[in-house]
Amino acid sequence: MEDPNLEANRQDKKSFIQKVKSVGPGAIIAASFIGPGTVTTSTQAGASFGYALIWAVLFSILATIVLQEMSARLGIISKKGLAEAARDQFNHPAIKYPIIGFIIMAIYVGCTAYMSGDLRGTSLGLEALTGVSINIIGPIVGILILLLGLSGSYKLIEKLMVFFVVLMSIIFITTMFIAQPDIGGVLSGMFVPSIPVGSIITIIALIGTTVVPYNLFIHSSSVQERWSRPEQLKDSRRDIYFSIGVGGLITIAIVITSGTLMRGVEVGSVIDLAIQLEPLLGGFAESFLAIGIFSAGFSSATASALGAAITVSSMLKWENGMKNWKFKAVFSSVIIIGILSFVFRFEPLDVLLFAQALNGILLPSIAILLIVIMNNKKLLGSYANSTIINIIGIVVVVICTGLGIYSLVTAIQGFIG
């Protein structure tokens, strides 16, 4: 007779493997928000304010988990992406079509505006590794991402994103431990919120680079590639908690490392962090960090193009997902515009300010729209939002709205200035 303990161990091992295999769509979201902007902003936050703003990262991660769980639940239960559900939520043309037009424009412009920056961040890492100029590397990276999208393979993109999240975890969390931070200071910065003088813009940036509107569209569609039954919601939630939690840990690790080693140092580039790591890692420091920066840039750039394509195709009800030539055309156009902006060193300040203004409106608008849809019992039945989830969601929306208004005002001042 087989030993019951052996059978139990086998089941535990099988269960663990199944849990690991459930990681996927959430990793795309994590890889998306840990881009060059997040890495740079986190480095600046630590260098300028030490551990004081870790709470803002923690809030942004909790807010992301709440919103992404709703998005994933919508996709699995309704078999609709957020864009499609938003289109079907309203019947009156005077409401429906302005919403469709605004979302398409805002998501596409936002993703396109930041693509050049993502390519620059990716190239910066490779330049540090190879010594080859970013002017050569940037277009090559863009073409690689373009080919990845044209492959039409969701599974390939998912596996690549999982790989990058693992790689970034190893690099940035390792550097945090090597830096030997003050644990008391870290805990204080995490659980005792404070707003140091001059930190409000950094707080908005930390939250804005984590709670990303187009990720809600990506997630509601990508979960359908993996799960299709209500009983699989547990797997989806496990994926969300783990993947986004790891993404948040990476961001916090960067803040802690820079807060430990760079306090008071003016950050010109995230590569500056490598200088502070040299006494601990030697000549290996720059290469070690460069791999992390490359991973952040490549994954974020891929997700930007993916987010734009998923949103537009869902809103316009194009079928066959990533295999549809129109989907590939939108994906390609975002990449191509990014490459051209990079090659010609086009710094579209007005476009970036416009994208910032749109994002200031878009994030709370999309969050409100998501909550409205998640209370549609005809669509979701017993899987609609509970009262507790609604309350948490509303709190997140109120905070994001306040930050969005501030961001909008800042952008308008930039236009006027």
Side-chain angles (χ1 to χ4, degrees), residues 204 207 356-364 397-411:
I204 291 174
I207 295 173
Q356 181 185 349
L358 282 177
N359 193 59
I361 302 171
L362 188 64
L363 177 55
V397 166
V398 168
I399 294 173
C400 288
T401 300
L403 295 174
I405 291 172
Y406 191 97
S407 177
L408 180 60
V409 170
T410 302

Side-chain angles (χ1 to χ4, degrees), residues 272-302:
D272 293 342
L273 184 56
I275 299 172
Q276 310 302 318
L277 286 168
E278 281 182 2
L280 303 171
L281 293 174
F284 185 58
E286 187 172 354
S287 297
F288 193 61
L289 197 61
I291 294 171
I293 297 167
F294 164 74
S295 301
F298 193 96
S299 60
S300 182
T302 303

Side-chain angles (χ1 to χ4, degrees), residues 89-393:
Q89 180 72 22
F90 305 101
N91 294 319
H92 199 289
I95 300 176
K96 174 184 287 192
Y97 294 112
I99 288 177
I100 292 173
F102 171 72
I103 291 176
I104 288 176
M105 178 185 68
I107 294 291
Y108 185 84
V109 170
C111 291
T112 303
Y114 294 112
M115 177 57 65
S116 179
D118 285 336
L119 290 180
R120 190 170 299 278
T122 310
S123 304
L124 189 65
L126 282 179
E127 182 184 48
L129 280 172
T130 64
V132 178
S133 170
I134 62 172
N135 296 325
I136 297 174
I137 294 175
I140 294 174
V141 171
I143 292 170
L144 289 176
I145 297 172
L146 179 61
L147 293 175
L148 180 63
L150 293 177
S151 73
S153 174
Y154 165 79
K155 289 185 178 180
L156 176 60
I157 291 177
E158 182 182 274
K159 288 178 180 178
L160 195 62
M161 294 301 203
V162 171
F163 170 75
F164 281 136
V165 169
V166 171
L167 194 59
M168 287 187 286
S169 300
I170 293 171
I171 290 171
F172 293 118
I173 295 175
T174 298
T175 57
M176 175 184 67
F177 284 113
I178 290 174
Q180 297 182 335
D182 172 19
I183 302 302
V186 169
L187 293 175
S188 176
M190 188 174 294
F191 299 112
V192 183
S194 64
I195 304 178
V197 176
S199 67
I200 187 66
I201 295 295
T202 304
I203 291 172
I204 291 174
L206 284 171
I207 295 173
T209 56
T210 305
V211 190
V212 183
Y214 66 73
N215 279 346
L216 298 172
F217 294 93
I218 291 177
H219 209 165
S220 59
S221 296
S222 63
V223 288
Q224 296 178 57
E225 299 281 348
R226 179 68 72 92
W227 301 296
S228 59
R229 303 190 307 274
E231 57 268 26
Q232 293 176 314
L233 281 172
K234 183 183 292 186
D235 292 329
S236 173
R237 287 174 180 141
R238 186 184 298 119
D239 172 42
I240 291 169
Y241 301 150
F242 178 78
S243 298
I244 295 177
V246 169
L249 183 58
I250 292 170
T251 306
I252 288 173
I254 297 170
V255 175
I256 291 173
T257 304
S258 57
T260 304
L261 302 177
M262 300 182 68
R263 190 72 170 92
V265 175
E266 187 171 342
V267 179
S269 163
V270 71
I271 290 291
D272 293 342
L273 184 56
I275 299 172
Q276 310 302 318
L277 286 168
E278 281 182 2
L280 303 171
L281 293 174
F284 185 58
E286 187 172 354
S287 297
F288 193 61
L289 197 61
I291 294 171
I293 297 167
F294 164 74
S295 301
F298 193 96
S299 60
S300 182
T302 303
S304 291
L306 189 65
I310 284 177
T311 302
V312 173
S313 63
S314 297
M315 274 293 181
L316 299 179
K317 290 192 173 182
W318 296 339
E319 298 179 352
N320 299 324
M322 292 182 65
K323 298 186 182 302
N324 188 309
W325 71 267
K326 288 180 283 189
F327 181 103
K328 293 179 180 180
V330 175
F331 186 100
S332 301
S333 67
V334 173
I335 300 293
I336 291 170
I337 292 173
I339 293 174
L340 292 175
S341 298
F342 182 90
V343 169
F344 294 106
R345 298 184 180 183
F346 176 55
E347 298 294 342
L349 181 58
D350 288 343
V351 175
L352 288 172
L353 289 171
F354 182 55
Q356 181 185 349
L358 282 177
N359 193 59
I361 302 171
L362 188 64
L363 177 55
S365 299
I366 295 300
I368 291 170
L369 180 61
L370 177 62
I371 291 175
V372 169
I373 292 172
M374 293 309 295
N375 281 277
N376 185 340
K377 293 187 181 294
K378 289 184 179 180
L379 180 67
L380 298 165
S382 61
Y383 295 97
N385 274 1
S386 65
T387 301
I388 294 176
I389 294 297
N390 277 330
I391 291 173
I392 295 172

